[in-house]
Amino acid sequence: MLGAPGRMSDYDAVRSALEGAGTAREPAADAWQQWLRAGRLVGSEAPALRLPAPSRPKPPGLGDERDGPLTAIFAPDPAVGDGAFANNAWLQEWPRPLTKLTWDNAALLAPGTARALGIENGDVVELSVAGRTLRAPVWLQPGQAEQTVGLPLGYGRWAAGRVGDGVGFNAFLLKPPARSVVTTTLHATGATHAFACTQLVDSMAGRPLTRRVTPDARGMSALPETEPPARDSLYPSYAYPDYAWAMSIDLDACIGCGACTVACQAENNIPTVGREEVAKGREMHWIRVDRYRTEAGRTAFLPVPCMHCENAPCEVVCPVGATVHDSEGLNVQVYNRCIGTRYCSNNCPYKVRRFNFLQYANTDEESLKAGRNPEVTVRRRGVMEKCNYCLQRIRRAGIAAEKEGRRIADGEVVTACEAVCPTRAIVFGDLVDRESRVSRAKASPLDYALLGELNTRPRTTYLARVDNPDPALDSDGG
């Protein structure tokens, strides 16, 4: 900015003032350039404050002792929060990231603490805090601190609405104002409670479902040569000259939040089925997030949608051709052909196909119609359904590109799960485009196929997690 005639410009005024102020501190001829690079007048900053380390008192009841009171820790439920979303059926049926419970909250105990107290999974206990009592079912949760009991808030509502009324127990009855950690006593009542849980096993049984690597001396990582060599197949091979849709999921970025599950449910008009049906294994989610415990005792998450296998085991057993490959490599489901044999689900090694045992979708209530995606069919009972890579979004982008006489650009099709992922762990795109994000992801040395030894050749693959162990903090290197 230039000043008025006869006056020094702003630039010259600032430079002159700084050079004058910095003569004693920085006698070098290029001091002005150094100050610009540093963004400050070197040596002019105030001395750093020396603050004492904060003292954190130990919560009551924490320790290695097995006797005495426990420490109750109150926290909002991962799905319904403090109860504000208790009347949302999508969130009630969403499996919690660590427990995989639906339609319930539970008093969370460490397995060691439960053994010392003689309590098993599903036992109903009575908790006491300052003369107030509450009955709650117990869920044994590995990773829970010993001698503590976790109490999720947001349940036990009586005026939430048709969905949320009478679900779970109200932990607010024990929680003091402005406190989230208190001392409590606990004893069994002899009653039991049946949970609706979507995953009861957290062991991978020796199979490398989720894979972890550590950087080598050069800071690079790669999976060991565990993938089986390509084998001959009775399936004919196809070329995909136009598009070949695929997905890559980065396990190093996935935090197991499960947002992809709810986004897929909203996008594809997936119905909720209720506690009784979930307890029978009939949940309808098209993408699940499996939770495993590693040998080092750590938690590993694995999102599992339909794999869209090139050699799809589901296709060869369908007697009516309801599950077929299309010209772009998608394993599509033709609802009007399906007669409900469920052969495809029996033949799927990934168990990602869902069947409408009952009429779960409410097609009569007007208030629910506005919440459905008009581009996706509302399925009635008796048909198999599964992830289709948000085919409606692919077709919408394809029509727009065809009108303009061009190919679909990379990133133009974003699936619901990819759009909602807070860590960008999910990448979707076209393998024909060698420069697409999904092509680059699959070219990584960390890329692997889930159950690749079955020769299904899935279009959905994973990037292994890269661990950077700190010997000073992580003795197990996990």
Side-chain angles (χ1 to χ4, degrees), residues 214-297:
T214 55
D216 60 18
R218 300 168 299 165
M220 304 294 289
S221 299
L223 289 172
E225 295 297 331
T226 58
E227 293 295 331
R231 296 181 296 180
D232 293 334
S233 173
L234 295 177
Y235 292 87
S237 60
Y238 292 96
Y240 299 98
D242 297 325
Y243 299 98
W245 302 107
M247 181 176 286
S248 176
I249 302 177
D250 188 355
L251 300 185
D252 199 35
C254 177
I255 57 175
C257 67
C260 52
T261 300
V262 180
C264 176
Q265 187 165 23
E267 172 73 17
N268 295 290
N269 299 333
I270 301 173
T272 54
V273 300
R275 175 199 295 271
E276 290 79 9
E277 292 296 294
V278 172
K280 296 176 182 177
R282 296 178 177 179
E283 66 273 9
M284 295 297 294
H285 296 133
W286 287 5
I287 177 171
R288 68 177 191 271
V289 182
D290 290 342
R291 172 262 301 129
Y292 296 104
R293 300 284 293 178
T294 67
E295 294 179 356

Side-chain angles (χ1 to χ4, degrees), residues 283-285 288 351-356 383-385:
E283 66 273 9
M284 295 297 294
H285 296 133
R288 68 177 191 271
K351 300 306 173 190
V352 290
R353 307 179 74 86
R354 300 289 181 255
F355 184 70
N356 279 318
V383 299
M384 191 67 68
E385 54 185 79

